[in-house]
Amino acid sequence: MSRWIAVLAGGGGTRFWPLSTPTRPKQLLPLAGTRPLLQQAVERVADIATPERILIITGRALLDVTRELLPSIPADNILVEPRAASTGPALTWATWVVHERDASATVLSLHADWFVPDAGAFCATAAYAMDVAERHDVLVTVGVQPSRPEVGYGYIQPGDPLEDDAFSVRTFVEKPERGRAEDLIRDGALWNSGLFAWTADRFMRETHAVAPEIAPHLACLERGDEAAFFASVTPIAIDHSHFERSRRIACVPGRFAWDDIGTWSALARARETDPAGNVLVGETFARDTRGCVVWADDAAVVVDGVEDLVVIQTAEVTLITTRERATQLKDLLDAMPADIRNRPT
């Protein structure tokens, strides 16, 4: 039984504007070090699968840069979505490709834009999740121990044990309010990380059984017409299309630090800070400044006597906001004139 990796590497480039753009989304940025998150993600799973068994799912606008960043990945392993249709159709396509190449394969699915500082611990959990998927013939989700009542994440309430460190799932809770998140954590709930494992055969069976938005369109893939599949399929997240509906679900606790670095203010969890809690990237100088995120991409940035700001400077645009309002960046982009929002960086 072979083991494959499916890496989701699309994205609209909005959460880290103005540094990110549709042609340079989050996973192509060095947010957690000197190299893009996509490269780090692929290197992280090198002990699980060879490049010949790693699939990258991305968009047409990102194909060239993805190939450039990942020269070891075979060209036909970079799957280009004709249309963005969320993770359900994307991972169905990737699993279909794996199933066609090896019907007995097991697939690990992950996102390209996470911060995971301990690759060894990550791989140990990932390998165990694949073991559980094979032993119990289930779809597996990895739940990470929460470090805070994060309202932007989904939560998993584990159910009865399947074996020593694997459980059924009692409920999924999507992005609760803070009070509810605190209650969930007290009750032992885990963050739904988006790290999944399944055998290709079981996944395709579950697609037919529980995903009517996707299953009727598999005939398009059977005749080799990916464009028709994406044109006709209903966009839906894998959490909703499969995990919240299937009765063959298991949860494995993740024994590693994990963060999806969802906003500029989250960089303090992924990068070193100075003694005043500032994240300073590029040519920057901070005096009497606390808790700020300052990113100088094209010129020097100086901050003085301020707290809890986000200052992002590129060649075309400079963003100045608070760390709290940085979580509402999408709302700002929606309100912004297009000629400012869409400037290249």
Side-chain angles (χ1 to χ4, degrees):
M1 181 176 288
S2 62
R3 291 191 164 183
W4 291 68
I5 309 292
V7 183
L8 291 161
T14 59
R15 289 200 285 177
F16 284 86
W17 186 89
L19 194 63
S20 65
T21 66
T23 57
R24 193 191 181 197
K26 176 183 167 187
Q27 73 271 10
L28 302 183
L29 301 177
L31 295 178
T34 59
R35 291 171 298 111
L37 293 173
L38 173 58
Q39 286 182 323
Q40 295 181 39
V42 171
E43 291 168 4
R44 191 178 302 130
V45 297
D47 289 341
I48 299 176
T50 63
E52 291 73 25
R53 291 179 177 169
I54 297 175
L55 302 180
I56 311 296
I57 306 103
T58 191
R60 191 173 306 281
L62 306 179
L63 175 60
D64 290 342
V65 66
T66 298
R67 285 178 172 169
E68 181 180 343
L69 289 175
L70 303 174
S72 67
I73 302 297
D76 61 356
N77 280 20
I78 299 179
L79 308 183
V80 179
E81 294 177 284
R83 166 178 84 116
S86 195
T87 55
L91 289 173
T92 298
W93 181 29
T95 304
W96 172 270
V97 170
V98 172
H99 191 267
E100 288 293 287
R101 298 184 189 181
D102 181 358
S104 68
T106 302
V107 179
L108 181 78
S109 162
L110 60 135
H111 290 255
D113 57 1
W114 294 336
F115 170 59
V116 180
D118 188 340
F122 175 89
C123 285
T125 296
Y128 178 63
M130 299 175 91
D131 290 342
V132 171
E134 292 164 1
R135 278 197 293 269
H136 297 276
D137 195 21
V138 290
L139 311 183
V140 177
T141 179
V142 174
V144 174
Q145 181 67 44
S147 60
R148 61 191 183 278
E150 175 63 60
V151 299
Y153 295 167
Y155 288 73
I156 301 165
Q157 291 184 292
D160 296 330
L162 295 180
E163 56 182 64
D164 287 346
D165 210 20
F167 305 85
S168 63
V169 173
R170 181 153 53 98
T171 56
F172 291 97
V173 181
E174 182 67 17
K175 297 182 179 180
E177 295 182 355
R178 183 179 180 87
R180 174 68 168 138
E182 291 171 345
D183 291 341
L184 287 165
I185 293 172
R186 278 194 295 268
D187 291 342
L190 305 170
W191 282 338
N192 190 0
S193 68
L195 177 62
F196 303 125
W198 48 68
T199 66
D201 181 69
R202 172 49 57 193
F203 184 92
M204 298 313 302
R205 289 173 184 267
E206 293 304 289
T207 301
H208 284 287
V210 303
E213 299 88 352
I214 301 172
H217 311 290
L218 291 174
C220 299
L221 298 180
E222 291 174 359
R223 62 176 184 264
D225 193 346
E226 294 88 3
F229 173 75
F230 277 91
S232 56
V233 76
T234 299
I236 186 170
I238 195 75
D239 309 74
H240 305 315
S241 63
H242 289 70
F243 280 86
E244 293 177 4
R245 296 171 178 173
S246 174
R247 296 184 178 182
R248 305 190 68 91
I249 301 296
C251 175
V252 166
R255 311 297 189 191
F256 55 88
W258 167 89
D259 201 303
D260 82 341
I261 327 178
T263 67
W264 279 116
S265 58
L267 283 194
R269 299 193 298 267
R271 282 184 169 268
E272 290 187 8
T273 60
D274 70 10
N278 301 301
V279 175
L280 304 174
V281 181
E283 191 177 2
T284 60
F285 177 76
R287 189 184 74 160
D288 296 335
T289 292
R290 301 183 60 83
C292 289
V293 174
V294 184
W295 189 297
D297 193 52
D298 187 65
V301 175
V302 177
V303 288
D304 183 32
V306 295
E307 295 186 10
D308 298 327
L309 291 184
V310 171
V311 182
I312 312 300
Q313 179 274 332
T314 73
E316 294 292 331
V317 181
T318 297
L319 168 69
I320 303 172
T321 186
T322 65
R323 288 183 62 165
E324 180 180 3
R325 290 182 70 91
T327 62
Q328 305 165 29
L329 189 55
K330 186 178 185 302
D331 294 338
L332 173 63
L333 290 171
D334 290 342
M336 192 182 303
D339 63 329
I340 296 177
R341 181 182 65 241
N342 296 330
R343 291 184 186 186
T345 60

